[in-house]
Amino acid sequence: TPANNNPDKTPNDNILHLPNHAPVKNFPPRMSRLTPTQKPPRCPLDAPPSHRLNKPMNQPQPEALLQTAILAVQRATQHAKANLHRRQESIAIDAHDIKLALDVECQAIIEETILHAHPQHAILGEEGEQPQTNTPYQWIVDPIDGTVNFSHSFPYWCSSAAVQHENKTIAGAVLAPESNELFTATTDTP
């Protein structure tokens, strides 16, 4: 421990010395000590003001919205797979599409999941919508995308949910349960 107990002055950038404590090794260096080749810290609060995410804390962040989308499509596909024996229970049939009872049930599950996490959000779905007039957030969902494939036991179907903020899509998830593939994206990820 150095004689100087000032935590701001360390003999090594990778060790933090605190008064009356053992040194903390591999402590991230302070921003002022970063060289041009070093990356800034991952925590936005440790970053200088010019690098911080200027997003109000009271609004859902894309990652939180993505987690809601993932949970919603997981719950919907679990319900559909648990009821495969009902895959031909149709409500309406036309020349190019079929509306299944499971479609309506899976959309209700997606809506319940979204509204539980974000009760003020609007939902636009293939099987109807949950309108909200005073919200900048709108979810777009398709509980069973590939309904004809699903009804004919073809494994090429999925469930999808995406959310827009002021008409800009900011997060979404697509789950193809038969191939166990989950596709996700947010505005915060490449």
Side-chain angles (χ1 to χ4, degrees):
T1 308
N4 181 352
N5 286 331
N6 185 345
D8 292 329
K9 293 183 180 181
T10 63
N12 182 334
D13 282 349
N14 292 327
I15 300 176
L16 175 67
H17 295 274
L18 298 173
N20 303 321
H21 291 85
V24 179
K25 293 186 180 190
N26 297 323
F27 187 79
R30 300 197 188 289
M31 288 300 295
S32 61
R33 295 183 183 143
L34 289 179
T35 65
T37 59
Q38 288 178 305
K39 294 181 180 178
R42 293 182 66 169
C43 177
L45 296 177
D46 290 342
S50 62
H51 289 87
R52 289 186 186 151
L53 302 174
N54 293 319
K55 298 177 182 174
M57 293 302 289
N58 61 349
Q59 292 184 355
Q61 301 300 312
E63 186 60 36
L65 295 165
L66 177 62
Q67 294 307 313
T68 301
I70 292 170
L71 180 60
V73 297
Q74 286 174 335
R75 291 184 66 212
T77 56
Q78 286 171 356
H79 180 74
K81 286 188 76 169
N83 289 280
L84 289 176
H85 61 282
R86 298 178 46 224
R87 70 172 66 213
Q88 293 186 341
E89 286 181 22
S90 60
I91 296 172
I93 299 175
D94 66 28
H96 302 286
D97 200 11
I98 186 170
K99 186 172 186 176
L100 301 177
L102 282 174
D103 245 343
V104 175
E105 293 169 16
C106 289
Q107 181 160 323
I109 289 169
I110 290 174
E111 289 174 357
E112 175 188 316
T113 304
I114 293 168
L115 293 175
H116 178 76
H118 309 285
Q120 301 303 317
H121 290 194
I123 301 173
L124 173 63
E126 191 175 40
E127 311 310 321
E129 59 186 277
Q130 294 283 335
Q132 294 282 343
T133 56
N134 296 329
T135 181
Y137 292 94
Q138 179 168 4
W139 291 79
I140 298 92
V141 302
D142 192 346
I144 300 178
D145 190 5
T147 309
V148 173
N149 288 344
F150 178 81
S151 70
H152 287 96
S153 301
F154 295 135
Y156 308 108
W157 62 277
C158 61
S159 182
S160 59
V163 61
Q164 293 184 332
H165 180 259
E166 296 177 347
N167 296 320
K168 178 184 175 194
T169 304
I170 57 173
V174 177
L175 178 59
E178 300 293 342
S179 59
N180 199 28
E181 294 178 286
L182 175 65
F183 303 93
T184 64
T186 71
T187 54
D188 289 348
T189 56

